[in-house]
Amino acid sequence: MTQHYLKQLFEPESVAIFGASDRPDSVGALVFQNMLESGFKGPVFPINPKHEKVRGQKAYASIDEVRQPVDLAVIATPAPTVPGIIEACGVHGVRRAVILSAGFREVGPQGRKIEQAVLENARRYGIRFLGPNCLGVMKPGLGVNATFNKGGAKEGRLGLVSQSGALCTAILDWAAANDVGFSTVISTGISADLDFGEILDYLVVDPKTNSILLYVEGIHNSRSFVSGLRAAARIKPVIALKVGRHAAGSRAAESHTGALVGSDDVFDAALRRAGVVRGMRIGHLFAAAQTLTSRFRAEGERLAVVTNGGGPGVMATDRAEDLGIPMAELSEASLGVLDQALPGTWSHGNPVDVIGDASVDRYVKALEVCLADRGVDGVLVILTPQAMTRPMEVAEGVVEVAKKAKKPVLTCWMGQIQVSESREWMRRSGLPSFHTPEAAVEAFSYLTAYYRNQQLLLQTPGPVGRRRQPDVGGARLIIESALADGRNLLSETESKAVLAAFHIPTGQAVVVRSPGEALVQAESMGFPVVLKINSRDITHKSDAGGVRLGISNAQGVRSAYNDLIGEVNRRRPEARIDGVTIEPMELRPNGRELLVGLITDPLFGPVITFGSGGTAVEVMGDRAVTLPPLNHFLVADLVRRTRVSRSLRAFRHMPPADMEAMENVLMRVSEMACELPWIRELDINPLIADENGAIAVDARIVVDYPAVGQGPYGHMAIYPYPVHLMTRWQTPDGIDVVIRPIRPEDAEIEQAFVRQLSGRAKYFRFMQILEELTPAMLARFTQIDYDREMALIAVLEEEKGDTQLGVCRYVINPDGISCEFAVVVADEWQHRGVGHRLMVQLMEAARERGLKRMEGEVLADNHEMLALVRSVGFTVITSQEDPKIKSVYRRL
């Protein structure tokens, strides 16, 4: 495997520092001093035309005078000088840089002009850089400290990426005091070039990084950010802290949904879908990292507490309640064992109070019983240093039990002097240890959040499947007609027609323009009916007096029509009125009023929300948000996170709501978010759900033209299942084959496919002896991020299920413009055109993605594969590193 393209940036062998000087406390002086004192093994060249020497070392007037290769340029000179320095670096062959200097876009138009000149010069020479206006980069294990921080960092296994240099220094100071080490420290600054996505790509493959900490202030490219997070979180725990949680943002004008959803809600939803754990304070980052890098993984949320003091147990319980962590209910069998092992005065429940004079044996027995209980998912052990307590003995006993446990064990030895030694010993033994019960419970919450979010990460919503296909073309025509008419707000009848195109049940609505027309339609529909004002200028009809409910006779219809028009004219005289809509009154005594919404976040694109509906929706404030695309698992998670979800179950005299019908609406709204980039806002309020189904009683849709030049699903942060790549093809001998992107539920047929390959075919594909795919490999091959890679499988669709005939895939290289490919076809299906067809469609998909080159490696004696790639235009050359391997490539 070739080295990562950012390796020279983070692991340089030689460094040039522009602006190095002896001037006390200058940025250049601090950076040069840090590099000299950090233990860096390679040469460090000070570049400064005003000095012959810096700190006793020869200084260079320019990079031209350095007669050696330079991996990394660190620039600490005034902003106007930076474009010229970048160009000089490009001429010299330097391809990576860190720009510490300030004075770019953050200072206004002149700074933005300088920044643009830097970018143009960097792109001309293929230079990638961090910054500007950043603290720099550290790699403690290699002695790299290219920052102006006063001091370095301890070597460790945490990767830190921070947008704020000031916060970065604070975190480093906090870490030094708490003995926390780092594999890499990266300050991004204003990210004119490199941003989170590409930096995460590097940290994913860095073997020195076990977990990743992020400090985020804002996102420039949501697709790259989310895609990078998802790739990283599949392999390593990622913990993120974001500021600005209460800033107003992502508000859609006058929308119920927009009024409910803020930018922080959307950011949180993105982290959840990416499998990332979120911290709210700096201390949370390290507590989460300490816990998540332990060997423990939670498989549930139920917590048991073992303590020698009642008060600390209550403190832990209170914090668990705050965080929504359920306290485990111990089984009768567990309670019986504890009754035998503990004094009669023990608490007889959870928390398990083993009493103040508890010996190590009492602690060990209580811990063993809790871990063995099927109703317990993790245990917190608390010790307070009472007169008869032996903290170190208890710590040793707890560690021995924890070594054999699969469930998480966390500890809290309260106090300082009497417990510091045992607390440190537990920490060295790999047991997460905390000073307070609250901090320990918060740490357990990170484990449970990681467990939940990893489940969300693994969800890759597939195609519509057996459900009726939506009429995307019809919905698009309705939207385009409104836009052509100069309207962004669809009428209620148009909005409901769009919903109907996606098979969302709606109430029948007809526009009438006189009391007589209203009467005729009411008689046709049957009483009772509802009248609503029809105006492009009125968003919330009730607020304008534009709704009349439960009209039960002919006289009432005509009177209500006239009253409604008069009331709206009085309240909103400027509004243009185009008649009234009339529809049947939905009489659903067991109905629950719900809200389903869709807004467009300026960064993350479509966002779906669900919660309580009705006229008091903003007052109730009950909602959860998520990013599309959705499947049943994700829909269930969305619904579960609302208070109204409890009312959907049976209670009092009401039967349970039809959950399948309600989930279907959310799935259909997800399809709308994917397939209709014109939609900016959507409110279904109320959606009434009862035991007989779910119906959209009122709907409002705001539309606009999509961004020019967007590719398929370019408006979304998470790339959905690429339905448009599904094709049907017939082999030369007349057999119908479906070629489609792989999806997670294909794991079984993928395993069967590999298992049935001949030994020769397996060796040619994997270049090793392989009987079948391991669970990790199977997940890796079927749970893919379609934005970063593509796998197309050829299948026979049969009544007993699909049979896989072949598979081809590409994975995008870190340069973002090339990809590596692989292809394999079942032995009995070779020489029948399957491989050729797969390769042709894979190349088409790569071109559509904007890739420029496809490359791969083929064993020299794999003559069939070499013939296949030549037939589709690949060039074949012998590898310079190994003559037994052929390198193949083709421009796309």
Side-chain angles (χ1 to χ4, degrees):
M1 182 177 176
T2 57
Q3 70 178 24
H4 195 277
Y5 68 106
L6 295 181
K7 183 179 176 70
Q8 288 179 307
L9 176 59
F10 301 120
E11 305 172 43
E13 295 182 3
S14 55
V15 178
I17 300 177
F18 291 81
S21 76
D22 290 318
R23 184 160 52 89
D25 292 331
S26 68
V27 171
L30 287 170
V31 176
F32 191 55
Q33 176 182 329
N34 284 340
M35 284 299 299
L36 293 181
E37 297 177 355
S38 62
F40 183 64
K41 304 300 183 185
V44 181
F45 305 105
I47 312 292
N48 193 324
K50 298 179 181 179
H51 297 274
E52 292 185 2
K53 289 187 176 183
V54 176
R55 290 182 64 89
Q57 289 198 195
K58 172 180 169 57
Y60 300 83
S62 69
I63 191 72
D64 298 332
E65 293 187 6
V66 178
R67 305 301 181 188
Q68 299 180 45
V70 174
D71 285 343
L72 177 64
V74 181
I75 303 171
T77 61
T81 67
V82 176
I85 290 173
I86 289 292
E87 181 160 22
C89 285
V91 173
H92 191 75
V94 184
R95 294 294 178 261
R96 302 293 176 260
V98 177
I99 303 175
L100 308 177
S101 319
F104 295 87
R105 77 176 72 163
E106 73 275 13
V107 301
Q110 186 59 36
R112 189 173 290 276
K113 187 180 296 184
I114 297 171
E115 182 180 319
Q116 186 59 37
V118 170
L119 278 168
E120 289 172 0
N121 289 347
R123 287 167 182 162
R124 187 182 309 121
Y125 292 101
I127 296 174
R128 305 305 307 275
F129 63 89
L130 276 179
N133 197 5
C134 70
L135 181 69
V137 61
M138 292 185 187
K139 193 80 171 174
L142 297 178
V144 174
N145 184 359
T147 73
F148 54 94
N149 183 58
K150 290 190 176 180
K154 178 183 175 182
E155 183 179 359
R157 310 293 286 184
L158 300 179
L160 170 64
V161 187
S162 173
Q163 280 184 312
S164 167
L167 257 293
C168 201
T169 60
I171 290 171
L172 289 169
D173 191 56
W174 188 97
N178 287 273
D179 198 32
V180 174
F182 298 91
S183 62
T184 313
V185 177
I186 301 166
S187 168
T188 67
I190 60 178
S191 301
D193 180 29
L194 291 169
D195 203 358
F196 280 109
E198 291 180 275
I199 292 169
L200 284 166
D201 284 342
Y202 165 78
L203 292 175
V204 166
V205 300
D206 179 24
K208 301 293 186 182
T209 300
N210 284 355
S211 58
I212 301 168
L213 311 181
L214 303 178
Y215 173 81
V216 183
E217 293 180 343
I219 304 302
H220 300 123
N221 185 321
S222 63
R223 173 71 68 80
S224 172
F225 177 68
V226 173
S227 185
L229 285 178
R230 288 167 65 85
R234 288 178 189 274
I235 300 170
K236 304 174 182 183
V238 181
I239 305 104
L241 184 151
K242 178 184 180 295
V243 293
R245 290 187 294 116
H246 300 295
S250 306
R251 295 287 172 85
E254 296 189 82
S255 162
H256 279 308
T257 303
L260 287 171
V261 180
S263 60
D264 195 64
D265 299 299
V266 182
F267 184 83
D268 200 62
L271 293 186
R272 287 171 53 81
R273 284 296 302 275
V276 174
V277 174
R278 184 173 186 180
M280 295 299 177
R281 299 191 300 269
I282 290 176
H284 285 179
L285 288 178
F286 296 103
Q290 176 193 359
T291 308
L292 293 174
T293 51
S294 71
R295 66 178 184 83
F296 295 121
R297 289 291 177 267
E299 294 188 1
E301 301 177 304
R302 298 163 299 181
L303 178 65
V305 176
V306 176
T307 177
N308 69 340
V314 174
M315 294 165 67
T317 302
D318 285 346
R319 189 60 183 141
E321 181 70 22
D322 293 339
L323 297 171
I325 295 173
M327 296 296 289
E329 292 187 14
L330 300 178
S331 68
E332 290 298 325
S334 296
L335 293 172
V337 174
L338 291 172
D339 279 336
Q340 297 296 317
L342 301 178
T345 54
W346 82 282
S347 56
H348 300 283
N350 181 25
V352 179
D353 187 349
V354 295
I355 310 305
D357 62 350
S359 64
V360 61
D361 292 340
R362 210 182 288 173
Y363 262 103
V364 166
K365 188 63 179 179
L367 176 57
E368 289 175 339
V369 170
C370 289
L371 288 170
D373 194 309
R374 292 185 177 181
V376 174
D377 298 311
V379 183
L380 166 60
V381 183
I382 302 175
L383 178 143
T384 58
Q386 301 183 33
M388 61 291 293
T389 308
R390 297 184 176 180
M392 182 56 81
E393 287 185 16
V394 176
E396 290 171 347
V398 169
V399 167
E400 286 304 309
V401 175
K403 284 180 181 177
K404 306 169 190 173
K406 293 184 179 179
K407 297 176 182 177
V409 177
L410 297 88
T411 64
C412 170
W413 265 221
M414 299 181 72
Q416 189 61 44
I417 296 174
Q418 297 182 54
V419 299
S420 59
E421 182 183 1
S422 52
R423 186 189 291 142
E424 175 61 22
W425 187 82
M426 287 188 291
R427 189 186 67 80
R428 289 199 308 270
S429 300
L431 204 59
S433 183
F434 302 91
H435 290 65
T436 67
E438 293 90 345
V441 173
E442 287 170 3
F444 182 71
S445 77
Y446 302 135
L447 284 172
T448 62
Y450 185 72
Y451 164 71
R452 287 194 308 268
N453 294 357
Q454 285 289 304
Q455 289 182 306
L456 299 180
L457 169 64
L458 295 179
Q459 304 305 309
T460 306
V464 176
R466 302 193 191 288
R467 292 180 294 140
R468 293 164 62 197
Q469 293 284 340
D471 182 7
V472 178
R476 186 177 67 243
L477 288 174
I478 294 170
I479 293 170
E480 289 178 342
S481 295
L483 290 171
D485 193 34
R487 293 184 292 118
N488 293 100
L489 178 65
L490 301 188
S491 68
E492 182 177 346
T493 51
E494 289 171 328
S495 297
K496 287 185 173 180
V498 172
L499 297 184
F502 280 77
H503 309 298
I504 295 175
T506 62
Q508 176 189 3
V510 178
V511 177
V512 294
R513 293 179 174 82
S514 71
E517 284 185 41
L519 177 56
V520 170
Q521 289 297 333
E523 293 289 356
S524 300
M525 294 175 177
F527 295 101
V529 295
V530 176
L531 298 183
K532 303 176 186 176
I533 197 68
N534 187 41
S535 170
R536 68 182 69 182
D537 300 320
I538 297 175
T539 298
H540 299 312
K541 305 175 185 70
S542 297
D543 295 345
V547 179
R548 297 293 183 273
L549 303 174
I551 304 166
S552 57
N553 55 57
Q555 293 83 359
V557 169
R558 290 194 293 190
S559 298
Y561 184 99
N562 290 323
D563 288 346
L564 186 149
I565 294 290
E567 179 73 10
V568 172
N569 278 327
R570 282 192 297 275
R571 293 197 188 187
R572 296 287 302 275
E574 82 290 355
R576 292 165 290 181
I577 296 174
D578 186 22
V580 169
T581 59
I582 184 170
E583 57 192 78
M585 178 79 175
E586 287 292 333
L587 297 175
R588 297 197 174 206
N590 296 326
R592 287 77 154 178
E593 289 193 336
L594 308 170
L595 165 73
V596 174
L598 174 67
I599 64 165
T600 301
D601 182 81
L603 281 174
F604 291 99
V607 180
I608 294 172
T609 186
F610 171 82
S612 301
T615 56
V617 58
E618 285 94 347
V619 176
M620 296 296 292
D622 175 32
R623 83 286 182 273
V625 302
T626 191
L627 301 184
L630 303 182
N631 61 11
H632 288 292
F633 184 95
L634 295 168
V635 165
D637 174 75
L638 176 68
V639 173
R640 178 187 60 81
R641 290 186 283 121
T642 61
R643 296 192 301 274
V644 76
S645 63
R646 295 191 287 272
S647 75
L648 300 174
R649 302 191 290 262
F651 73 98
R652 295 181 182 174
H653 63 283
M654 298 175 69
D658 185 342
M659 296 298 292
E660 183 178 350
M662 190 193 66
E663 288 182 0
N664 178 69
V665 172
L666 284 162
M667 295 278 283
R668 292 297 188 178
V669 169
S670 173
E671 289 173 16
M672 294 173 70
C674 296
E675 304 301 332
L676 298 177
W678 296 267
I679 294 181
R680 294 292 178 268
E681 302 171 23
L682 161 66
D683 280 341
I684 301 175
N685 183 33
L687 174 76
I688 297 182
D690 65 6
E691 70 276 18
N692 297 314
I695 186 168
V697 174
D698 204 350
R700 170 185 175 276
I701 296 178
V702 175
V703 295
D704 205 347
Y705 292 102
V708 177
Q710 272 185 348
Y713 309 118
H715 62 298
M716 304 184 68
I718 299 176
Y719 202 97
Y721 185 81
V723 178
H724 66 287
L725 295 181
M726 296 177 66
T727 61
R728 293 189 177 273
W729 170 73
Q730 196 171 76
T731 65
D733 51 354
I735 297 176
D736 291 325
V737 174
V738 174
I739 297 177
R740 60 171 174 79
I742 203 166
R743 48 185 187 253
E745 54 265 39
D746 293 323
E748 187 175 338
I749 64 170
E750 172 82 355
Q751 183 69 281
F753 170 76
V754 172
R755 190 179 290 139
Q756 293 166 13
L757 290 173
S758 66
R760 182 172 182 269
K762 290 176 184 176
Y763 184 73
F764 282 156
R765 167 61 182 90
F766 300 104
M767 296 188 183
Q768 60 176 304
I769 302 301
L770 181 75
E771 289 302 317
E772 64 177 39
L773 299 176
T774 65
M777 293 173 71
L778 195 59
R780 172 68 187 83
F781 287 160
T782 58
Q783 299 169 9
I784 68 172
D785 183 337
Y786 301 110
D787 190 49
R788 291 170 168 259
E789 58 186 304
M790 185 56 64
L792 300 176
I793 58 174
V795 298
L796 287 179
E797 291 184 334
E798 302 170 307
E799 286 189 13
K800 62 180 181 179
D802 291 352
T803 299
Q804 186 172 322
L805 312 181
V807 58
C808 64
R809 66 179 67 235
Y810 70 68
V811 178
I812 299 176
N813 289 325
D815 61 15
I817 60 172
S818 67
C819 63
E820 292 189 18
F821 82 96
V823 60
V824 62
V825 176
D827 293 76
E828 66 272 24
W829 282 87
Q830 293 181 12
H831 309 294
R832 298 172 71 175
V834 175
H836 188 279
R837 183 68 184 184
L838 282 170
M839 281 300 299
V840 168
Q841 289 195 208
L842 187 71
M843 289 189 294
E844 289 175 355
R847 285 191 201 97
E848 179 187 278
R849 178 64 178 77
L851 302 177
K852 305 299 183 185
R853 176 185 167 101
M854 185 174 283
E855 57 193 29
E857 293 183 339
V858 181
L859 291 172
D861 55 350
N862 190 351
H863 304 297
E864 294 91 342
M865 179 60 67
L866 292 172
L868 171 61
V869 297
R870 284 190 176 105
S871 73
V872 291
F874 277 71
T875 298
V876 179
I877 59 174
T878 300
S879 170
Q880 294 180 350
E881 299 177 359
D882 187 347
K884 296 179 181 178
I885 293 176
K886 298 288 187 181
S887 296
V888 302
Y889 64 90
R890 175 197 163 137
R891 291 191 63 80
L892 297 172

